[in-house]
Amino acid sequence: MKKTDLLIGFFIGLVSTFIGAYLFLKVKTKYDLIDDFNLLRIEGILGKVFVLGAILNIVVFYILLKKNKEMMARGVILATIILALSTLFI
């Protein structure tokens, strides 16, 4: 097992969270993640948006497990845990 697979999985988890957050904001709200980032942070909903965006990590985790990429799947879980902890401080 390679340590780089863990790092790749971590970045895949971060990217899929940002994609999920972006899609959630585009479909369900009037906000834009890039343009209204400070407004979302001031209103206190930025953490909630990233938590909803992390739901996409479940799909990525399942796909990686089906392809027998366990270390990458661990990286996705690590990214999810770090994002959950960081939402406590946002």
Side-chain angles (χ1 to χ4, degrees), residues 35-55:
D35 295 335
D36 299 329
F37 187 80
N38 284 330
L39 181 64
L40 291 171
R41 187 179 53 82
I42 291 170
E43 290 182 2
I45 59 173
L46 184 63
K48 296 170 188 169
V49 168
F50 280 131
V51 168
L52 288 171
I55 292 173

Side-chain angles (χ1 to χ4, degrees), residues 21-86:
Y22 181 77
L23 289 175
F24 171 74
L25 287 175
K26 276 295 191 186
V27 172
K28 294 291 184 182
T29 66
K30 60 182 166 77
Y31 298 114
D32 188 39
L33 183 63
I34 297 165
D35 295 335
D36 299 329
F37 187 80
N38 284 330
L39 181 64
L40 291 171
R41 187 179 53 82
I42 291 170
E43 290 182 2
I45 59 173
L46 184 63
K48 296 170 188 169
V49 168
F50 280 131
V51 168
L52 288 171
I55 292 173
L56 191 58
N57 283 350
I58 297 170
V59 176
V60 173
F61 178 75
Y62 180 74
I63 290 170
L64 288 173
L65 283 181
K66 284 295 182 183
K67 291 187 175 193
N68 292 325
K69 302 284 187 180
E70 286 87 11
M71 286 302 283
M72 284 187 189
R74 286 183 190 180
V76 171
I77 293 297
L78 180 66
T80 305
I81 290 171
I82 289 175
L83 283 168
L85 291 175
S86 67

